[in-house]
Amino acid sequence: MPIPVPRLARRAWTAAGAVCALALSLLVAVPASGSAAASGCQVDYTVNEWTGGYTAELRVTNAGPALSDWRVTWTYEGDQHVTSAWNAAVTQTGHTVTAVNTAWNGALATGGTVGFGVQGTSGAGGPVPTGFALNGVSCGGDTTTPPTTPPPTTPPTTPPSAECGGAVVCDDFENQAGSVPAGDWKFTAPDCQGTGTAAVDTDIAHSGTRSLRLDGKAGYCNHAFVASTADLSSVGPVLYVRMWVRHTTALPAAHVAFVSMPDSSQGGKALRIGGQNGALQWNRESDDATLPAQSPTGVGLSRPLPTGTWQCLRFAVDTSAPGLDTWLDDEQVPGLHADGVPTRDIDDQWLSRTTPPRPTALRLGWESYGTGDDTLWFDDVAVGSSPVGC
Ligand code: CA
């Protein structure tokens, strides 16, 4: 699921100010002036920024003669620096970036569009890039202009409703009368049990006065989870999960997990959300694949899980095709996104397995494979076949 972003020049800053989605469209027809090269081009540059990094998708439409090879250049006014790219070979010298076609996407007809993307580092973010050119011919001025084409059909990024009344799981834990989880939830230690514990907490809650509390301990044999009794095996084709989670200790360098879903496509082994190298990650138990890849770039494209505050974690697992998306407080996390196109440092390893996941149950808790004690609370958990918001 791509991030729907309007093509109009727009900045949508979050409350935290840490991430913005920005798109601009340049549409300028440059007179041919007898040039044999491109005589005009349109560039849609759609960027998602966060503190320290960004990804950008570019769509370049050729308004000039047909091309057999293309080269797109632009200039960063800020400190953006490209570290990798897809569907183009991209280099940066100083502030100037050059993207050249791959062996298979060089042909660009008149009116044709080619798409490629970059990811990079950015200390303070920066203004939108300028000076776009196709094969050395400027795409026009540096001012942003509204597109003259009709508005895109992509929907706005309005988060879904937080109501979960029709979902298979929709639980605020207010009906948990005892001190240990009961009813629709039960304690489980899938592999081996140690000193980790689960409880119903009446002091800390996101809603009402009750939540689930897990005291997770380091070491492999301290699995401690609370499992929903709901059968999720027919939820789909996209399985949506929303939960509020709070914890006390920053995610460690070692691998940990706090959401574990038995996955029938892995013979019952689990699809897991946890952390590694201090940031959130997905992990597939059967082959230990991670999303994102645990390279510095990949980890930088994920996020830490803030401590001491309730966080809204949402994810969407496509059970019929490659597709996995994750939102933390309504911000999509670029490193926790898998689709059908392998992207270096993100999902190229993850897509080594082509069978889509088929989660059958939901377990919330803690497992650690090294260091890492943590205390976690879960509240307002929903699972269904349509999105549930924060
Ligand atoms: Ca509650």
Side-chain angles (χ1 to χ4, degrees), residues 194-270:
T195 54
T197 59
V200 174
D201 195 309
T202 56
D203 292 327
I204 293 177
H206 177 259
S207 68
T209 60
R210 286 177 169 79
S211 70
L212 293 182
R213 171 174 170 154
L214 273 295
D215 283 89
K217 301 299 181 184
Y220 178 74
C221 270
N222 273 317
H223 289 204
F225 285 88
V226 177
S228 167
T229 58
D231 179 2
L232 306 183
S233 58
S234 62
V235 177
V238 178
L239 179 143
Y240 294 91
V241 177
R242 187 278 319 273
M243 67 183 65
W244 287 84
V245 57
R246 176 178 178 133
H247 75 145
T248 59
T249 307
L251 294 170
H255 180 204
V256 295
F258 60 89
V259 177
S260 174
M261 293 181 290
D263 177 0
S264 61
S265 86
Q266 299 182 64
K269 291 183 181 297

Side-chain angles (χ1 to χ4, degrees), residues 139-357:
C139 294
D142 295 332
T143 55
T144 61
T145 55
T148 56
T149 50
T153 56
T154 50
T157 56
T158 304
S161 165
E163 297 299 320
C164 63
V168 175
V169 174
C170 178
D171 205 324
D172 59 11
F173 305 110
E174 297 303 303
N175 66 353
Q176 294 284 336
S179 60
V180 297
D184 294 336
W185 299 84
K186 62 179 181 182
F187 181 87
T188 179
D191 292 316
C192 49
Q193 184 176 356
T195 54
T197 59
V200 174
D201 195 309
T202 56
D203 292 327
I204 293 177
H206 177 259
S207 68
T209 60
R210 286 177 169 79
S211 70
L212 293 182
R213 171 174 170 154
L214 273 295
D215 283 89
K217 301 299 181 184
Y220 178 74
C221 270
N222 273 317
H223 289 204
F225 285 88
V226 177
S228 167
T229 58
D231 179 2
L232 306 183
S233 58
S234 62
V235 177
V238 178
L239 179 143
Y240 294 91
V241 177
R242 187 278 319 273
M243 67 183 65
W244 287 84
V245 57
R246 176 178 178 133
H247 75 145
T248 59
T249 307
L251 294 170
H255 180 204
V256 295
F258 60 89
V259 177
S260 174
M261 293 181 290
D263 177 0
S264 61
S265 86
Q266 299 182 64
K269 291 183 181 297
L271 181 65
R272 306 180 285 208
I273 300 176
Q276 193 164 342
N277 290 310
L280 291 166
Q281 72 158 217
W282 285 89
N283 178 280
R284 195 164 53 209
E285 184 180 7
S286 59
D287 61 357
D288 211 27
T290 67
L291 178 74
Q294 292 302 296
S295 63
T297 298
V299 172
L301 292 166
S302 183
R303 297 283 184 276
L305 183 65
T307 59
T309 61
W310 285 102
Q311 301 290 314
C312 181
L313 178 66
R314 293 194 290 129
F315 51 89
V317 178
D318 195 329
T319 65
S320 65
L324 185 54
D325 280 299
T326 315
W327 296 262
L328 186 62
D329 282 350
D330 277 334
E331 292 172 8
Q332 189 170 23
V333 183
L336 301 176
H337 166 81
D339 55 28
V341 180
T343 300
R344 184 182 171 191
D345 294 310
I346 301 180
D347 63 352
D348 50 358
Q349 179 200 24
W350 190 259
L351 295 174
S352 64
R353 180 183 171 88
T354 56
T355 306

